[in-house]
Structure formats: structure tokens, C-alpha cells
Amino acid sequence: MQIVRTDALSKRFGTTTATDGISIQVEQGEIYGFLGLNGAGKTTLIRILLGMIKPDIGSVMLFGKLLTPGFDQWNDIGYMVETPYAYPNLSVKENLQVYNKLRGLKRSSLVDQVIEKLKLSNYRDVKARLLSMGNQQRLGLAKALMHQPKLLILDEPINGLDPEGIVEVRTLLKELSKNGSTIFLSSHILGEVAKVANRIGIVHQGKLIKELSIYELNEQLLKKVIVQTNQNLKAVHELASVNHEAVLTEEGEIEITDRAAIDHPEYISKFLVEKDLPPKQVRLFTEDLEMYFLRTIRTKS
């Protein structure tokens, strides 16, 4: 079932085009990573999904229903957009109790459950204004998760979290997805998104320029074998003689980019040893998501 669908969404603010004809589909149980530089249009799209602003052109469907003023499934949606807001003079627990009432939830036990889940037990009686940035972020996530939503929309959810907190949120999102929740995750922290998302969309200057699964992403990442010997120039000639795509880089390393070498770098080691050119180093280099992202947007700029 499609939980989120947008068709040709466009929104302008004065002379600035924030979103430009964006069409996406997110299936139930999927974690969809929406990636882009600051100002690329990520938050604008999220605000449209949440009915906070209206698109100039295009439509949104949530749970198979057209998003209109009469949309009636807001209690199936949890969200955190940009800064996590809280009542500054209320404690963590009091903030969540207020949110519980505003949501019209019937189970007060949900407050204690989400405090435990987000590791906020030691701060339950601390006023929100006294929390660290990381714990303010946890409180924002607690509000988004407390009513156990079917769709979770998060904008930069790991901002301010320490490494332990990032791992905890990553684990939590994976668990929610396994249990059937759908997660739309916007971020510029690309490496973290790649660790949790099933699919990613890359937005640049308001346009969706690429959409692909994590499997497809891994296939498109640049890979190469890096080799060092005591006679690199001779080694390059020997490798080229058997049809390996080998060049000597400005850094003085041998770079091999053909598929046979990438799939079996151990054969490169064996070949060079047989040619009396034993390698000092053989390693497989794989482009990370940040490099892939920058390479992708440069081709569209």
C-alpha cells in the first residue's frame, strides 16, 4: 500500500522555487531518505505533506486519501520538523502529558513508555529549557512517537545527538519499520540515512534529481582497487598487458577500475607476485554517500 504519494508538487515563495514538480511514492513499512543540501526544498516538502502550507501546483495523498482540509487521519501521523518545540517551563513528563491530551489519547501509560524508549528517564522532571540540545531532540522524537503513528515524518532527527544517541535512533527507526510503520526521513547527514533507508531521493534546487533503492545505490557507487608496489610504473604496464584498467595517479598509487579487479582484488595480488612485483598494499576503495551525492548534484548544476 502507498502511504505517501505526491504528484508534481511545486511551491514558490516570491521569486524562489522551493519545490519544482516533485513526485514521490513511499510504500508501507519503508524508510525513505530524502536528501539534499540546506535550502534544497526538503523542509518545504515536509510542510506540504503535513498540511502546514499549500502547494501552488500538484497533489498529496496519504494512506490513499487526498490531502484536503477534511483529511481525518492526523492521529496516524507523527512528525518532527526542524527545531523540536516544547513548553520551556514544563518538565519532560509534563510536556508529554500535555501532548497526550492534545492528541486525545486515552492511555496515560504511553507517556512513561515513550520516556523509557527514548532514554529520557533521568530527565523526566527536568524543565525543557534546561535540556541539552540532544535531549531536546529526544523529547521532540518522543512527542512524534508517543501515539504509535503509522507514518512518521522526521526532518533532521539526529541533529544534536551524540554518537550513542544516533545509534539508538537508528535502531529505533529500523524497529518501527519492521513493525509496519512508514518513515519519511529528511536529512543532510547522508551517511546516517544510508544506514537506515530502503530508498533515497536526492533533491537539488527544488527538483528531485534521482531516486533509487539502497541496492541500486550500492551498484552506482564508484569502486576501485588501490595498489602500491616498489615498482608502480612497471606494475601498471604489466596489469595493462592483461587488460586491467590501471593508471598511476598523481599520489603515486596504482588505481584499477575494471570490474574483474574490483570483484576479485585477490587475483591482482596473485598476478603481481607472479610478476615479481609483490604489492605492499591492496585495498578496495568504495565511494561514500557524501561523495556520490556531490557527484550527482554537480552533474545537474
Side-chain angles (χ1 to χ4, degrees):
M1 177 183 176
Q2 280 186 354
I3 301 299
V4 177
R5 176 181 176 132
T6 73
D7 290 302
L9 282 186
S10 294
K11 179 66 180 178
R12 292 176 62 85
F13 297 99
T15 59
T16 301
T17 301
T19 60
D20 189 356
I22 293 180
S23 297
I24 57 172
Q25 296 84 41
V26 185
E27 303 292 328
Q28 183 176 1
E30 194 170 43
I31 301 178
Y32 186 97
F34 196 53
L35 306 179
L37 301 174
N38 290 333
K42 304 187 303 297
T43 300
T44 297
L45 180 73
I46 283 181
R47 290 181 178 277
I48 292 173
L49 292 180
L50 292 170
M52 295 177 176
I53 57 177
K54 291 183 179 180
D56 298 324
I57 302 171
S59 62
V60 176
M61 296 192 75
L62 302 176
F63 308 106
K65 297 179 180 180
L66 192 64
L67 183 57
T68 65
F71 182 77
D72 61 357
Q73 284 191 245
W74 292 116
N75 260 1
D76 289 328
I77 301 173
Y79 64 91
M80 186 173 71
V81 182
E82 295 185 304
T83 305
Y85 294 104
Y87 295 103
N89 291 317
L90 297 184
S91 69
V92 166
K93 184 172 183 177
E94 289 168 339
N95 263 282
L96 293 173
Q97 287 172 332
V98 169
Y99 193 71
N100 186 290
K101 289 182 179 179
L102 290 174
R103 277 280 184 183
L105 304 177
K106 305 299 183 185
R107 293 165 52 201
S108 59
S109 61
L110 292 174
V111 172
D112 291 325
Q113 289 173 14
V114 80
I115 285 175
E116 183 70 24
K117 182 174 285 189
L118 270 296
K119 306 291 178 68
L120 285 166
S121 298
N122 292 335
Y123 306 95
R124 67 172 61 237
D125 297 319
V126 176
K127 293 186 188 309
R129 62 183 170 82
L130 300 177
L131 295 174
S132 67
M133 182 183 294
N135 283 324
Q136 288 178 10
Q137 199 77 359
R138 289 174 191 267
L139 176 56
L141 284 168
K143 289 164 64 178
L145 290 169
M146 185 168 60
H147 59 294
Q148 301 169 340
K150 296 176 183 177
L151 171 61
L152 187 60
I153 299 176
L154 302 175
D155 190 14
E156 305 289 359
I158 58 176
N159 272 359
L161 294 180
D162 58 22
E164 182 181 11
I166 290 172
V167 172
E168 289 169 357
V169 170
R170 188 195 308 155
T171 302
L172 177 61
L173 294 180
K174 287 181 177 180
E175 288 176 358
L176 290 168
S177 174
K178 286 180 182 177
N179 291 329
S181 293
T182 304
I183 300 165
F184 186 90
L185 171 64
S186 166
S187 183
H188 70 280
I189 304 177
L190 312 180
E192 278 305 313
V193 172
K195 292 174 184 175
V196 296
N198 309 115
R199 275 193 311 133
I200 65 169
I202 296 176
V203 63
H204 185 54
Q205 296 177 347
K207 292 184 178 182
L208 185 69
I209 60 174
K210 183 159 284 193
E211 191 177 45
L212 67 173
S213 69
I214 290 300
Y215 172 79
E216 291 168 331
L217 170 66
N218 289 331
E219 289 295 303
Q220 292 186 22
L221 294 177
L222 293 180
K223 299 179 178 68
K224 53 191 174 185
V225 178
I226 305 296
V227 179
Q228 280 274 22
T229 74
N230 286 324
Q231 300 180 69
N232 280 351
L233 191 57
K234 183 178 179 182
V236 167
H237 289 310
E238 292 289 355
L239 289 162
S241 71
V242 290
N243 298 320
H244 284 298
E245 297 169 10
V247 297
L248 193 60
T249 69
E250 292 180 358
E251 291 76 25
E253 298 177 321
I254 301 169
E255 185 177 284
I256 312 170
T257 54
D258 59 272
R259 188 74 195 200
I262 291 167
D263 288 344
H264 296 286
E266 69 276 15
Y267 293 170
I268 299 298
S269 297
K270 181 175 182 292
F271 174 78
L272 291 173
V273 168
E274 290 172 350
K275 295 296 181 179
D276 198 26
L277 294 163
K280 296 188 294 183
Q281 172 186 271
V282 177
R283 63 185 174 89
L284 180 63
F285 169 85
T286 302
E287 179 181 39
D288 61 23
L289 183 55
E290 282 84 356
M291 295 174 67
Y292 174 84
F293 172 81
L294 291 173
R295 178 163 61 87
T296 299
I297 64 173
R298 281 170 187 154
T299 64
K300 301 293 183 178
S301 297

